[in-house]
Amino acid sequence: QRMVHPLHEAGITGKGQVVQMSDSGLSVNSCYFYDETGEVVRDRSGTVDNNRRKVVQYYAKINDVDETKHKGHGTHVGGTIVGKVCPGLGCFAHSNRDGIAFDAKIAVYDISQDGLSVSFSPDPADPMFSTGV
C-alpha cells in the first residue's frame, strides 16, 4: 500500500526548487540521481547545469571523481531529500522509496576528504555559493 505524505497531498513535491547539501559527497550513479544524458561536472569550478535530471551542481572539496567512494552518508541524505528512483530505463511513478522533495534538484557541496568522511573545516563557501543556482 502506497503511503501519501501530507505535503505531497498538498501538491508540495519540490518542483522547480534546487536544494543545496553539504556532506560526504553523493553517488551520481545511484538510481535516485542517475541521469541517462550524462553527469554534471564534479570539480571546483562551480559549474551549474540546470538541464540535469537531479544533480545540477557538484562542488568537490578535492578533485576526486572516483564514484566508488561516494556511496555513503551524503548519498543517503541526498536521497532522503530529493531522491527519485530512476534506474536508467525511465523513471518510475512516485514511490515510497523517493525522497520528500522528489521533484526538486540538488546542488552538492562535497566537503569530504576521501568521499566517505566529512571535513569539519570546509573550504570557504564563497566559491560555490557565489556561483550557486
Side-chain angles (χ1 to χ4, degrees), residues 19-27 30 32-33 70-84 97-102 105-109 116 118:
V19 174
Q20 193 281 325
M21 176 192 80
S22 298
D23 209 309
S24 64
L26 181 138
S27 173
S30 161
Y32 294 99
F33 308 107
H70 297 286
K71 297 184 189 256
H73 191 264
T75 300
H76 173 81
V77 171
T80 299
I81 301 168
V82 303
K84 181 168 176 80
R97 297 179 294 170
D98 293 341
I100 193 69
F102 57 85
K105 296 184 180 189
I106 192 166
V108 178
Y109 193 156
L116 300 171
V118 174

Side-chain angles (χ1 to χ4, degrees), residues 84-100:
K84 181 168 176 80
V85 177
C86 188
L89 302 174
C91 296
F92 297 113
H94 173 57
S95 79
N96 289 337
R97 297 179 294 170
D98 293 341
I100 193 69

Side-chain angles (χ1 to χ4, degrees), residues 5-7 12 16 21 33 38 40 43 46 55 73 75 79 85 88 95-96 105 108 110 113-114 120 126-128 130:
H5 192 282
L7 290 174
I12 301 170
M21 176 192 80
F33 308 107
V40 70
D43 61 14
V55 183
H73 191 264
T75 300
V85 177
S95 79
N96 289 337
K105 296 184 180 189
V108 178
D110 182 345
Q113 295 289 343
D114 57 8
F120 290 102
D126 291 345
M128 179 185 174
S130 63

